Amino acid sequence: MIALSVASVLAVFLLYTSLAGGGTPSVSPSQLATKTGEVALAGKVVGTPTGDPHGAGMRFVVEDIDGTSKQRATVLYKGSVPDMFRTGRDVVVTGTQDANGLFVTKPGSMITKCPSKYQAADTPS
Amino acid sequence: MAELGRAALLVTLGLSAYALVAGGYAAWRGRRRLAHSARNALIASFFSTLAAALVLVAGFVRDDFSLAYVAGHSSRALPTPYKLSAFWGGQEGSLLLWLLVLNAYAALAVWLARKRAKDLVVWVTPVLAGIALGFTWLLVAVSSPFDVIAAPADGSGLNPSLQNPYMVVHPVALYLGYVGLAVPFAFAMGALLSGRTDERWIVATRRWTIVAWTALGVGQLLGAHWAYQEVGWGGYYAWDPVENAALMPWLAATAFLHSVMIQEKRGMLRIWNVTLVSLAFCLSLFGTFLTRSGVVTSIHSFTKSSIGPWFLGFIVVAVVFAVTMIWLRLPQLRTTAKLESLVSREAAFLYNNLLLVALCLTILWGTAWPMVSEAVRGQTMVVGRPYFDFFLRVFGLPLLLLMGIGPLVAWRRASLRGLLRTFAWPAGAALATGVVLIALGAGSSIPGLVAYTFSAFVLATIALEFTRGTQARRALTGEPVPTAFGRLIGRNRRRYGGYVVHAAIVLLAIGVAGSSAYDSVTEGRLAKGQALTVGGYTLTYRSLGEREGANATEIRAVLDVRRGGKELGPLEAGKNAYSVEQQVSNEVGIRTDYLTGEDLYVIAEQVNDDGTVFFRIFVKPLVNLIWLAGLVFVLGSVITLWPDAREERRLATRYARAAERSDTHATT
């Protein structure tokens, strides 16, 4: 009986993961070139964002968070902008890269990484 | 001062090491006096930890910026309450709080159980000391809160998002929960080590488990409320790894609280129970690891830290130790009691357990998936909200239904006829609710409709139980209704307290379903005088103002709210611009309808130079039931926890009997 229940739970789980796939790949700006389809792009905001996120869209540039690569990506974003968003912050946006290399996001998909609450001791805030 | 703090931690390290080594040896060789001394060392280590904590508190209160930790998390201008909460504003202080709470729990638990569960405490002492030793080592050698620097003129301050009453209470409640699970774990391991695998360890730790479980639940709800009111994105739970980190041990502990009842009543599920309590404790270590190491991509943590590998090591040690002990004691843990019927209280509890653990493990899988996929495929993958929402529905809705069925099914074997009689009323109530809701248009969300129908069913069973109990008491004693009702609860605190907790979970389900399945949202850019309509409300943007607050410029848009031709007055929403921290935060406007539990929730997302504002407006029906659920949850927990002299006597005889049985078992 227990084995049966466990098996059915497992079946539901496998059914879901096989239908929905293994989630969205999470990539850094330097890995973006090799990816097609929907990805979660994690990067650090550099430069000044321009444009209206509630109008034609806001454009900003991100680079690798760990700073190992200087390769950058330009993001076109529409929708809610979290409080924490500004130059120098780490953000994650979900979307796809278009033919011109512009990363077009799903509206409202931005998550900011709050580096404050659980920061390591040696990182100045 | 710093030397005093470091010395206190060194003393704690020594005491814990002694309690582990001497206690372990004493338990192994049966040295009673040595075991006493180890136990006393464990209790003493609480006081030395307290001393270390007080040194840090003094550092904060006196603005002693020669302590690097104080300088990094406080400033002269910080209000005193936040100077105290800055204690756990960073990693080192949080670890010290963890250790302080652990040693407080440990000292109290072994002291209170010293007479009744003597033979267990002997083995519990080294287990608790081992856990404490690990954390003390981190504080002494890896991440010390007492590092000294050349004192700067002023500290760098506490992050504005932590300067909030919620952030004073929320972390403490969570830690009381996480760490409290160490007590039942240690007693379970103590029972395995001593070879006394009867149910005494469960009886001895019932209250500790409930305390920890309640604190963990309250901590999470406080966090949710904080997110809803202060973070201001329109929700209260985002399946963030750090949030999941607290939910998982809570789910495992919930399963444990239920399955131990089967062991108490019927002697079944012994292996399962020690497994569950180990799972709950390891998940609480994992939760601390997640929040402290920044290993998973998360809103709250991104930075790498020095203690990550250590924590991973702890978790591995805890898992290996628990698995080994359970493996070694398998023969003693096996029981002869068998499940007699698939329609019985035991079976219902078993289904409940399977669903809870399944939910817990799928959340674990989703949370750990970025790490797992990176290790296996070299590509980090993330699963989002749809994954978690799907499993919450698939496992959560049946759980809700079982909450109504489980408590009313007979032990051992229930007859179908009896079931029909028992559930006729609740099933009728549920059907009626379903029909009415469909008529009202709730069919727009099937999961929401199912949740409400099940909720009605559970509430009806709970109401029925209270009514029947009161009537039976009245028939027996002739007491008036309020007296009979009060005494009914007073005489059966575990049972009726449990029902109250169930009612709280139903309220939570109704609130979550209402605010997620039946919410409405609209957004748009408004110039002054323009209006937006959503969910029966009409909001007209009236004016924009700016004022200087204590440490921020407060920009506020004022909207006039109307519903059904009635003026409901103005509502403010805007942004605060913190000058020193150079940070902007949304200050949402919330209008609560206390009669229906509905919130009108306004975010002023973007204030433009030409005076137009981009608004995002939600109507969230029944969302306030979530917070009400928190109060009812605490009430129910307090009822089950409230000391009861009669129960104490019952337990005393059971202890004696269990010990006797265990002794005869040991000698034969």
Side-chain angles (χ1 to χ4, degrees):
Chain A
M1 207 281 297
I2 294 174
L4 210 66
S5 317
V6 173
S8 60
V9 164
L10 210 66
V12 171
F13 182 74
L14 288 177
L15 193 70
Y16 178 86
T17 41
S18 59
L19 287 179
T24 319
S26 166
V27 299
S28 63
S30 62
Q31 297 168 329
L32 191 60
T34 61
K35 294 286 168 195
T36 51
E38 191 175 284
V39 295
L41 176 69
K44 184 199 284 291
V45 181
V46 290
T48 316
T50 56
D52 180 357
H54 298 295
M58 173 173 72
R59 278 166 191 267
F60 60 91
V61 177
V62 290
E63 65 174 24
D64 282 19
I65 290 164
D66 57 15
T68 49
S69 166
K70 283 292 144 213
Q71 209 161 342
R72 295 178 171 184
T74 307
V75 178
L76 177 67
Y77 180 80
K78 289 184 186 182
S80 303
V81 179
D83 289 345
M84 291 293 183
F85 177 83
R86 68 175 147 103
T87 305
R89 284 279 158 82
D90 301 336
V91 299
V92 176
V93 283
T94 308
T96 48
Q97 195 171 26
D98 72 4
N100 305 322
L102 182 68
F103 191 78
V104 182
T105 62
K106 291 205 293 189
S109 66
M110 187 193 293
I111 303 169
T112 47
K113 306 295 176 184
C114 165
S116 55
K117 188 176 175 189
Y118 296 114
Q119 69 179 5
D122 50 353
T123 322
S125 49
Chain B
M1 283 301 272
E3 292 77 24
L4 192 59
R6 270 201 299 268
L9 282 180
L10 277 176
V11 171
T12 310
L13 188 75
L15 286 169
S16 306
Y18 174 77
L20 172 65
V21 175
Y25 179 79
W28 178 42
R29 304 302 296 261
R31 302 283 162 80
R32 207 153 54 101
R33 287 186 53 194
L34 192 61
H36 269 205
S37 123
R39 188 193 75 203
N40 291 339
L42 185 67
I43 294 170
S45 74
F46 164 67
F47 292 99
S48 58
T49 315
L50 185 65
L54 287 176
V55 169
L56 193 58
V57 169
F60 274 108
V61 172
R62 296 175 27 194
D63 294 325
D64 183 355
F65 299 128
S66 65
L67 286 171
Y69 186 74
V70 176
H73 297 91
S74 180
S75 62
R76 287 185 202 283
L78 197 66
T80 308
Y82 296 135
K83 277 183 184 168
L84 295 178
S85 70
F87 187 106
W88 47 86
Q91 174 177 291
E92 295 84 350
S94 297
L95 284 176
L96 184 55
L97 180 67
W98 217 103
L99 182 69
L100 182 68
V101 174
L102 174 68
N103 281 340
Y105 269 123
L108 262 176
V110 298
W111 181 251
L112 291 176
R114 71 191 183 280
K115 292 223 175 78
R116 254 197 205 160
K118 225 183 290 171
D119 46 344
L120 281 184
V121 166
V122 170
W123 282 105
V124 169
T125 303
V127 177
L128 284 169
I131 302 169
L133 185 65
F135 277 85
T136 318
W137 171 252
L138 278 184
L139 281 163
V140 168
V142 186
S143 184
S144 170
F146 297 110
D147 281 344
V148 181
I149 51 168
D154 199 357
S156 51
L158 185 66
N159 188 294
S161 64
L162 300 186
Q163 295 182 34
N164 183 295
Y166 288 102
M167 285 298 128
V168 178
V169 187
H170 160 77
V172 180
L174 275 187
Y175 274 33
L176 281 173
Y178 275 146
V179 185
L181 291 175
V183 176
F185 172 75
F187 272 76
M189 292 302 116
L192 293 181
L193 284 164
S194 67
R196 293 174 183 254
T197 52
D198 55 83
E199 67 272 16
R200 266 179 314 156
W201 71 271
I202 287 170
V203 182
T205 55
R206 184 181 79 87
R207 285 212 160 79
W208 295 109
T209 315
I210 294 178
V211 166
W213 174 78
T214 307
L216 201 52
V218 169
Q220 280 172 93
L221 272 176
L222 283 172
H225 200 228
W226 171 74
Y228 185 72
Q229 293 215 309
E230 302 291 334
V231 184
W233 51 275
Y236 39 81
Y237 197 87
W239 297 107
D240 183 87
V242 179
E243 294 166 341
N244 294 345
L247 181 61
M248 291 185 288
W250 189 82
L251 289 171
T254 309
F256 175 71
L257 277 176
H258 287 89
S259 66
V260 291
M261 288 183 229
I262 308 291
Q263 184 171 345
E264 277 187 62
K265 281 269 195 303
R266 303 269 284 110
M268 296 160 64
L269 300 182
R270 287 168 162 194
I271 302 170
W272 179 247
N273 283 330
V274 284
T275 310
L276 266 186
V277 78
S278 307
L279 178 71
F281 177 68
C282 291
L283 282 174
S284 83
L285 279 181
F286 182 65
T288 319
F289 169 66
L290 277 186
T291 50
R292 286 276 143 237
S293 71
V295 66
V296 177
T297 304
S298 149
I299 293 176
H300 297 289
S301 58
F302 224 13
T303 46
K304 300 273 180 287
S305 85
S306 49
I307 62 166
W310 286 100
F311 251 105
L312 208 56
F314 284 169
I315 297 172
V316 170
V317 169
V319 171
V320 168
F321 177 68
V323 170
T324 314
M325 281 320 301
I326 295 170
W327 183 258
L328 287 176
R329 295 298 183 202
L330 269 185
Q332 283 105 308
L333 284 170
R334 285 193 206 288
T335 44
T336 44
K338 277 265 181 307
L339 198 62
E340 289 173 33
S341 159
L342 291 184
V343 189
S344 64
R345 178 89 55 98
E346 297 93 307
F349 273 50
L350 199 62
Y351 304 141
N352 140 303
N353 260 250
L354 285 170
L355 287 168
L356 277 169
V357 172
L359 183 57
C360 176
L361 292 182
T362 42
I363 294 174
L364 178 64
W365 184 251
T367 309
W369 183 232
M371 292 182 259
V372 175
S373 59
E374 190 175 8
V376 175
R377 295 199 218 162
Q379 170 64 59
T380 311
M381 304 287 279
V382 288
V383 292
R385 205 174 175 103
Y387 171 91
F388 294 110
D389 281 349
F390 174 81
F391 286 109
L392 182 66
R393 283 176 196 153
V394 167
F395 297 134
L397 290 175
L399 262 175
L400 189 61
L401 182 66
L402 270 179
M403 214 162 65
I405 298 175
L408 297 196
V409 182
W411 289 100
R412 286 170 189 275
R413 192 179 287 275
S415 73
L416 221 51
R417 183 177 303 214
L419 282 184
L420 285 178
R421 204 172 43 237
T422 313
F423 291 114
W425 276 107
L431 273 180
T433 310
V435 170
V436 170
L437 283 174
I438 290 174
L440 288 174
S444 60
S445 161
I446 299 300
L449 184 68
V450 173
Y452 281 162
T453 313
F454 285 179
S455 298
F457 176 76
V458 181
L459 284 181
T461 58
I462 296 171
L464 199 66
E465 276 293 279
F466 274 100
T467 322
R468 275 197 192 138
T470 310
Q471 276 173 349
R473 222 187 135 75
R474 253 166 65 81
L476 211 67
T477 58
E479 291 161 348
V481 174
T483 321
F485 183 75
R487 292 212 175 132
L488 174 76
I489 299 172
R491 296 278 156 96
N492 307 277
R493 286 170 199 178
R494 284 179 74 173
R495 182 167 175 189
Y496 289 95
Y499 287 149
V500 174
V501 171
H502 279 182
I505 303 298
V506 173
L507 287 178
L508 182 73
I510 296 175
V512 170
S515 57
S516 62
Y518 300 108
D519 65 336
S520 7
V521 58
T522 189
E523 55 180 26
R525 184 199 300 265
L526 295 186
K528 281 174 195 140
Q530 291 183 320
L532 275 172
T533 303
V534 60
Y537 293 88
T538 304
L539 293 98
T540 313
Y541 172 34
R542 190 59 59 201
S543 63
L544 189 67
E546 200 177 300
R547 56 179 180 245
E548 286 303 317
N551 51 353
T553 308
E554 303 175 2
I555 303 159
R556 291 291 182 277
V558 183
L559 300 114
D560 287 334
V561 183
R562 293 171 66 87
R563 184 173 54 186
K566 216 174 107 202
E567 289 289 342
L568 298 175
L571 187 62
E572 277 193 348
K575 287 180 181 298
N576 280 2
Y578 292 90
S579 37
V580 181
E581 293 84 2
Q582 291 196 320
Q583 200 161 301
V584 179
S585 76
N586 271 332
E587 300 296 313
V588 295
I590 301 175
R591 186 188 177 280
T592 302
D593 189 328
Y594 289 99
L595 212 62
T596 57
E598 179 174 277
D599 271 0
L600 176 67
Y601 190 104
V602 180
I603 310 172
E605 286 216 336
Q606 191 177 314
V607 180
N608 300 306
D609 295 335
D610 59 357
T612 59
V613 177
F614 191 91
F615 289 104
R616 195 169 161 80
I617 303 170
F618 296 89
V619 176
K620 298 191 163 283
L622 298 170
V623 66
N624 286 289
L625 289 188
I626 297 175
W627 323 127
L628 179 66
L631 297 179
V632 178
F633 174 64
V634 172
L635 174 72
S637 297
V638 169
I639 292 176
T640 61
L641 282 172
W642 207 263
D644 183 352
R646 264 182 313 266
E647 193 205 332
E648 294 296 310
R649 281 199 293 279
R650 264 203 308 272
L651 285 185
T653 28
R654 286 198 55 181
Y655 268 119
R657 235 184 294 145
E660 224 169 81
R661 244 186 295 141
S662 180
D663 281 340
T664 46
H665 185 77
T667 46
T668 47

